[in-house]
Amino acid sequence: MFRITQLARTAVPRSARAYSSELWTPKGYAEAKEHARVTIETWRKISLFVALPACAIIGYVSLKNEFEHIHHMEHDPPTFTAYPYLHVRKRKFPYGDGDHTPFWNPIMNPEPED
């Protein structure tokens, strides 16, 4: 059975792929190089004239809104509501003063009134 499949494989003529043979000629290589140059230049222009200004505009709008929010939180801080599941400490945190998480923020996270 093994011998028959070997013969069947070798009996079928293998042809090269027609679409890849153009690349290996000097003309095909030059065309590919020119296409790459044009594509690189197109994406460079898109990056410089579309992506960077878009990032700058979005960053400006986001920071403006965030600074307004921070200003509001400084003048009107949130009040603390003592729920039983908040501030449960079985042992101290191994960093800082042991009572605050690494994400604790004095403006956004009010202290419980003891």
Side-chain angles (χ1 to χ4, degrees):
M1 184 69 172
F2 179 68
R3 179 86 171 130
I4 295 172
T5 56
Q6 262 187 335
L7 288 173
R9 266 192 244 140
T10 57
V12 178
R14 297 180 187 194
S15 61
R17 298 180 298 191
Y19 59 86
S20 66
S21 62
E22 287 283 321
L23 181 63
W24 304 110
T25 63
K27 179 184 170 207
Y29 181 74
E31 288 173 357
K33 196 171 182 181
E34 178 63 21
H35 174 70
R37 188 190 63 74
V38 169
T39 304
I40 288 171
E41 189 62 27
T42 301
W43 280 106
R44 186 177 80 70
K45 288 177 183 175
I46 289 172
S47 297
L48 289 175
F49 300 120
V50 175
L52 287 178
C55 288
I57 290 168
I58 290 169
Y60 173 76
V61 170
S62 299
L63 285 175
K64 181 180 162 224
N65 291 339
E66 187 62 27
F67 287 142
E68 288 173 1
H69 179 68
I70 290 171
H71 181 71
H72 167 74
M73 294 303 291
E74 287 173 345
H75 293 290
D76 187 23
T79 57
F80 181 75
T81 306
Y83 293 108
Y85 55 83
L86 292 177
H87 295 281
V88 176
R89 305 284 190 264
K90 295 187 178 176
R91 62 177 184 237
K92 289 187 174 269
F93 290 118
Y95 42 81
D97 63 355
D99 191 38
H100 299 110
T101 68
F103 305 106
W104 184 79
N105 180 348
I107 297 172
M108 296 298 296
N109 306 113
E111 288 284 340
E113 290 87 21
D114 293 326

